[in-house]
Amino acid sequence: MIGASKMGVGLCETAEGMGYSPDLCSYARSDIACATVNGGPIGGLPRPDMLVCCNNICGTVLKWYEVQARYFKVPLFILDTPFCHVGFADEAKRYVRRQLDEYILFLEKTCGRKMDNNRLKEVGKLSLEGQRLWQAVLNTTANRPAPMSAFDAFFHLALIVTLRGTRDVIDYYSQLLIKMKDRVARGKGAIPNEKYRLLWDNIPIWPRTRWLSQKFASHDACLVADTYTSAWCGTMKYIDENNFFDSMAEAYTRIYLNIGIDEMAKQVLEMIDKYQIDGIVMHSNRSCKPYSIGQYDIQKIIEKERGIPSLMIEADMVDERSFAESQVETRIDAFMEVIKQRKGR
Amino acid sequence: MTLLAEFHDIACNPAAYGKKLKKAGNRKIVGYFCSYAPEELIYAAGAHPFRIFGTGENIQLADAHFQAYCCSLVRGSLEAALVGRFDFLDGVVFPHTCDSIQRLSDIWRMNVKGSFHLDVVLPVKLDTPSAKDYMTDVLTRCKSDLEVKLGTTISDENLKKALRTYNQIRKYIREIYEMKSADPDILRGADIYAIIKASMVMECDRLLTLLPLVLEELKKKNNIAEPPEGKRVILAGGICNHPDIYRIIEEAGGAVVWDDLCTGSRYFENLTEESKDPLTALALRYLTRPVCPAKHAGLFTRAEYIVKTARERNAQGVIFLFLKFCDPHSFDYPYIKEILDREGIPNIKLEVEDQLPSEGQLQTRFETFIHML
């Protein structure tokens, strides 16, 4: 929200004034600063009673939450999900599963009440249903023209991120799915004249999504899918609907960013086929090392396996100081020229 | 001290030493990253553990894999591997630490051929019962993986011998640190740097011969009573690959009397309990040792440790030495600084890439800092 409302630079600078290096993650920098000045688009978040974090996306989350736990002086629970370079080892599975028990103890102690296991099952079912619906929404973009773009997905994503496990997610995505199916039936595309279909990789450049979407649309290019929004429903295959609690250990551990680069490349290749992709736009995001380091290798794998071109945009998800508009524009234009030539216009 | 020449030679060019060792053909050589790599297991398997450092060369090949915002350790070590400087390695062990090393491991596995690859996915949390059991499980798996990759079995007897060997080496190095701390003039900072860096790549037998000789020499020197002159400082951070830093600090009127570095005291602090089950004992050492900021052992553990070390070592100041783009250290810096300030311990931060800033600039910074102490 801070990034999208273009409040990132100010908050990042505040964090830098507090001693945090400008090379650190801009989500972390802006949140750390936001807490101290009640800043951002909604004037800061309510003061927490406890903090919970999971390092399945990065080691930064751990450091960031340590900072916040010291700041707010509240208990911190860390769900430690061992990285899966080439697979999910049995001992890692046991470790994560045991931490879920420790997590419940933490919650019971901090909240002062017992876990309601029936409620847990219900939330698990709602969570899985929400993920299924979100995936179904994303699947509609396999149609030509795509009824929505990745830029729309960046927006609608908010619910699966913040309200997963509630009825609201299901209601919202059910409606959205009906709307998208209707657009498909009517042949209505996200952009007026979809000729080229692109895949976005990495976290959005939040303050520049509108500019980017218009830029690509001006080339009749639609970013029809992305590796980011699909990460919230990417591990459904590990979830057992009737045993959500036990299976969530695996689902949380094997998410997109917690796997090896070659495994990520495999998933990108699947998306290329599924969404009939003509080219990849990679955001080399200086804030996010787990997502960005390895992109060069994924790029090479894609070029070798599918022979499609890719564009690397050097930027940052929140900190606009790392966005060089004219340079990005030139590169997008050149990249689109290549795509157009390959597609024979 | 002529004894030190060997350490300096090896610390200057570890890869040349590795190559020579390979030529001698006695053992397989297994490279490793970071101070959480279970060297004891590699040694017990009859192989030689060899710590990998960046080699400071021009980055060319690694640029095809790493963006500019990756630290010099990951870029430099991959570059060295890609140009074939580590061809003598039979395998490489990657303990899980930070996001950058995590991805370096993937990239290495996919691009560096000719040696086996082993990930040791350690817990990130170190202070819970489940993490303790998982740490032991991971080391158990690492042991059996090494057995397969090296085509051998690790007997309990060999493992216990490895624990004893490494304990002895760590005791010696710690004793050298202690002597330097008691009398900073006894040894140049660059010497202690060379000793510890070389120790991470040298053969254990050779270390067990050389280190006691170094100690003996130091004890002789110790009798010369002249009050030490330098202001006492502690170096804290990740990896130090710059022997010049010590000299520049000394020339500015300081003396490094202890450190909290991955290529320093974190390598030798805490011994492995020899009476316990070896794998449990190794796990316990990692859980209780001074912690790397990529791991979690409490919210204030690192600051408390640095304050305690500064007090114990009578240090007048702390110099933070970070690699640029090192996230874990950069996140910890503001709160540790705040606590040091509150405790009245002066401190400065120096962020370095593969090359140091100009010497004049460093001199001025260190002089200003040290004069203030």
Side-chain angles (χ1 to χ4, degrees):
Chain A
M1 278 173 72
I2 289 169
S5 29
K6 299 181 195 281
M7 299 170 97
V9 174
L11 288 166
C12 284
E13 281 170 347
T14 303
E16 287 153 25
M18 294 161 72
Y20 293 96
S21 160
D23 296 323
L24 288 171
C25 161
S26 53
Y27 277 179
R29 268 181 295 147
S30 43
D31 182 54
I32 288 167
C34 194
T36 64
V37 296
N38 284 329
I42 56 166
L45 293 169
R47 201 192 145 74
D49 296 303
M50 66 181 129
L51 290 166
V52 176
C53 73
C54 176
N55 60 7
N56 61 357
I57 48 167
C58 59
T60 284
V61 157
L62 167 73
K63 302 310 293 177
W64 168 6
Y65 276 66
E66 285 177 350
V67 171
Q68 297 301 60
R70 281 189 293 263
Y71 179 76
F72 288 113
K73 299 184 178 65
V74 292
L76 167 66
F77 184 84
I78 304 155
L79 182 63
D80 180 14
T81 47
F83 194 80
C84 303
H85 287 283
V86 286
F88 189 34
D90 289 341
E91 65 272 15
K93 201 175 204 168
R94 279 199 303 275
Y95 173 44
V96 183
R97 177 60 190 81
R98 256 185 79 187
Q99 288 178 78
L100 294 178
D101 292 330
E102 292 170 339
Y103 182 32
I104 288 185
L105 289 176
F106 169 88
L107 289 172
E108 288 182 337
K109 194 176 153 208
T110 316
C111 302
R113 71 172 107 130
K114 293 297 278 179
M115 169 64 76
D116 177 344
N117 285 314
N118 287 329
R119 174 85 183 119
L120 178 62
K121 276 182 198 151
E122 191 187 320
V123 170
K125 282 206 160 82
L126 290 170
S127 169
L128 185 61
E129 185 55 19
Q131 293 175 59
R132 277 190 192 128
L133 280 162
W134 179 235
Q135 183 65 64
V137 169
L138 296 176
N139 286 345
T140 62
T141 64
N143 290 286
R144 280 178 188 271
M148 62 178 237
S149 74
F151 295 104
D152 299 310
F154 297 157
F155 172 80
H156 295 300
L157 174 74
L159 282 89
I160 196 76
V161 176
T162 60
L163 294 171
R164 196 163 66 250
T166 67
R167 173 68 54 192
D168 294 338
V169 177
I170 292 164
D171 294 344
Y172 184 88
Y173 289 144
S174 301
Q175 292 288 318
L176 187 61
L177 184 59
I178 291 169
K179 203 172 157 203
M180 288 307 135
K181 281 183 171 164
D182 174 60
R183 286 177 72 96
V184 170
R186 290 187 290 121
K188 208 158 164 43
I191 62 166
N193 186 21
E194 176 191 303
K195 280 192 192 155
Y196 314 106
R197 298 166 61 85
L198 306 176
L199 178 92
W200 175 270
D201 180 58
N202 213 311
I203 301 171
I205 304 169
W206 289 113
R208 289 309 182 115
T209 47
R210 182 191 296 268
W211 182 85
L212 283 163
S213 104
Q214 285 169 351
K215 181 72 208 162
F216 281 107
S218 76
H219 284 286
D220 295 332
C222 182
L223 286 138
V224 298
D226 70 283
T227 57
Y228 176 64
T229 57
S230 53
W232 271 268
C233 48
T235 57
M236 280 190 290
K237 62 182 167 193
Y238 303 120
I239 302 176
D240 176 353
E241 190 167 7
N242 299 310
N243 190 1
F244 183 83
F245 186 66
D246 285 326
S247 60
M248 71 185 266
E250 186 154 6
Y252 273 88
T253 307
R254 304 187 81 167
I255 66 142
Y256 188 65
L257 284 186
N258 211 41
I259 55 176
I261 290 166
D262 36 357
E263 188 60 33
M264 289 166 83
K266 213 182 281 173
Q267 294 194 22
V268 173
L269 290 174
E270 282 167 17
M271 292 184 82
I272 289 171
D273 297 340
K274 175 175 171 182
Y275 295 101
Q276 311 136 66
I277 298 297
D278 302 313
I280 319 267
V281 183
M282 290 182 140
H283 168 204
S284 167
N285 179 359
R286 60 179 294 125
S287 265
C288 189
K289 294 190 172 84
Y291 218 147
S292 305
I293 305 181
Q295 277 178 319
Y296 292 170
D297 279 79
I298 293 176
Q299 194 177 26
K300 268 170 253 163
I301 292 171
I302 292 164
E303 270 161 26
K304 183 167 164 267
E305 298 287 326
R306 293 293 183 275
I308 48 175
S310 50
L311 166 69
M312 196 70 72
I313 299 177
E314 294 288 339
D316 186 276
M317 57 200 180
V318 165
D319 192 340
E320 273 192 275
R321 290 171 296 178
S322 299
F323 191 83
E325 185 176 297
S326 59
Q327 202 181 331
V328 173
E329 184 159 29
T330 312
R331 303 205 57 194
I332 291 175
D333 291 341
F335 172 69
M336 287 313 304
E337 269 314 300
V338 174
I339 300 258
K340 286 171 192 173
Q341 278 164 23
R342 293 168 56 96
K343 293 276 285 183
R345 300 263 161 185
Chain B
M1 205 193 295
T2 46
L3 268 173
L4 296 176
E6 188 169 339
F7 290 104
H8 278 284
D9 282 351
I10 295 170
C12 227
N13 192 349
Y17 176 80
K19 213 167 263 178
K20 213 169 74 190
L21 214 59
K22 179 74 181 180
K23 234 176 173 177
N26 303 328
R27 288 155 176 247
K28 290 188 175 166
I29 305 179
V30 179
Y32 71 89
F33 281 89
C34 118
S35 56
Y36 287 104
E39 281 180 277
E40 292 87 342
L41 296 179
I42 299 169
Y43 179 74
H48 173 69
F50 181 97
R51 176 143 180 177
I52 296 174
F53 302 96
T55 56
E57 51 209 313
N58 275 340
I59 304 293
Q60 286 171 341
L61 300 177
D63 271 346
H65 303 275
F66 286 116
Q67 287 94 333
Y69 44 83
C70 302
C71 76
S72 57
L73 172 67
V74 302
R75 288 154 64 86
S77 49
L78 184 73
E79 179 72 22
L82 292 175
V83 299
R85 213 169 296 286
F86 295 142
D87 280 355
F88 58 87
L89 294 177
D90 293 284
V92 182
V93 171
F94 287 84
H96 186 271
T97 49
C98 63
D99 294 338
S100 301
I101 293 282
Q102 168 183 301
R103 284 296 179 218
L104 170 68
S105 167
D106 283 337
I107 292 172
W108 195 291
R109 174 169 54 81
M110 292 160 65
N111 294 283
V112 181
K113 301 295 170 201
S115 52
F116 72 76
H117 187 100
L118 184 58
D119 287 305
V120 185
V121 191
L122 304 167
V124 171
K125 264 191 310 192
L126 302 179
D127 58 348
T128 63
S130 62
K132 183 178 161 210
D133 288 349
Y134 177 61
M135 181 70 93
T136 314
D137 286 349
V138 168
L139 292 172
T140 309
R141 176 178 290 271
C142 176
K143 174 174 171 274
S144 63
D145 283 350
L146 279 170
E147 287 175 332
V148 173
K149 308 251 185 204
L150 291 164
T152 182
T153 51
I154 299 174
S155 70
D156 228 39
E157 195 189 325
N158 282 346
L159 191 48
K160 283 184 172 156
K161 182 183 167 235
L163 261 48
R164 283 196 303 274
T165 303
Y166 276 90
N167 273 347
Q168 190 57 55
I169 291 170
R170 290 191 185 111
K171 267 189 237 171
Y172 285 143
I173 302 176
R174 193 172 202 285
E175 210 178 323
I176 295 172
Y177 261 65
E178 287 282 3
M179 295 197 69
K180 162 109 175 131
S181 175
D183 178 4
D185 290 346
I186 206 167
L187 204 61
R188 288 178 305 149
D191 293 330
I192 217 158
Y193 164 87
I195 291 171
I196 194 153
K197 185 173 173 187
S199 296
M200 295 177 200
V201 299
M202 274 170 83
E203 281 194 296
C204 293
D205 289 349
R206 187 69 188 143
L207 287 170
L208 291 174
T209 311
L210 278 183
L211 292 171
L213 295 178
V214 171
L215 276 165
E216 232 170 83
E217 288 280 321
L218 291 179
K219 277 171 192 158
K220 276 186 224 157
K221 259 184 152 183
N222 209 13
N223 297 327
I224 312 159
E226 259 178 61
E229 285 175 3
K231 297 274 174 65
R232 301 170 64 85
V233 297
I234 283 176
L235 214 49
I239 280 176
C240 176
N241 219 357
H242 300 286
D244 290 344
I245 291 248
Y246 294 89
R247 179 179 52 77
I248 300 171
I249 292 173
E250 282 158 9
E251 285 170 4
V256 178
V257 296
W258 206 263
D259 66 47
D260 177 31
L261 295 173
C262 182
T263 49
S265 76
R266 289 209 290 278
Y267 180 69
F268 62 73
E269 282 293 22
N270 293 38
L271 298 179
T272 315
E273 284 183 56
E274 293 172 18
S275 57
K276 281 201 161 74
D277 160 66
L279 292 171
T280 315
L282 278 178
L284 218 60
R285 175 167 181 266
Y286 289 150
L287 296 168
T288 51
R289 207 202 67 186
V291 66
C292 161
K295 306 251 169 251
H296 176 89
L299 290 173
F300 293 95
T301 315
R302 288 200 64 238
E304 283 162 2
Y305 175 72
I306 292 174
V307 169
K308 184 176 129 252
T309 307
R311 297 254 186 270
E312 271 174 14
R313 300 292 155 194
N314 250 323
Q316 290 149 286
V318 172
I319 297 176
F320 289 104
L321 182 70
F322 301 154
L323 286 187
K324 190 164 169 61
F325 305 117
C326 176
D327 294 346
H329 278 287
S330 300
F331 269 113
D332 269 6
Y333 169 70
Y335 103 87
I336 297 180
K337 179 185 170 41
E338 192 188 323
I339 290 178
L340 286 177
D341 289 350
R342 197 192 309 147
E343 296 286 326
I345 303 170
N347 55 86
I348 53 163
K349 179 181 81 163
L350 179 68
E351 220 178 29
V352 295
E353 294 201 68
D354 215 31
Q355 304 296 323
L356 284 179
S358 81
E359 187 154 335
Q361 192 192 335
L362 274 184
Q363 259 164 358
T364 315
R365 283 202 65 192
F366 285 146
E367 271 170 21
T368 315
F369 176 67
I370 288 164
H371 285 166
M372 194 183 81
L373 300 178

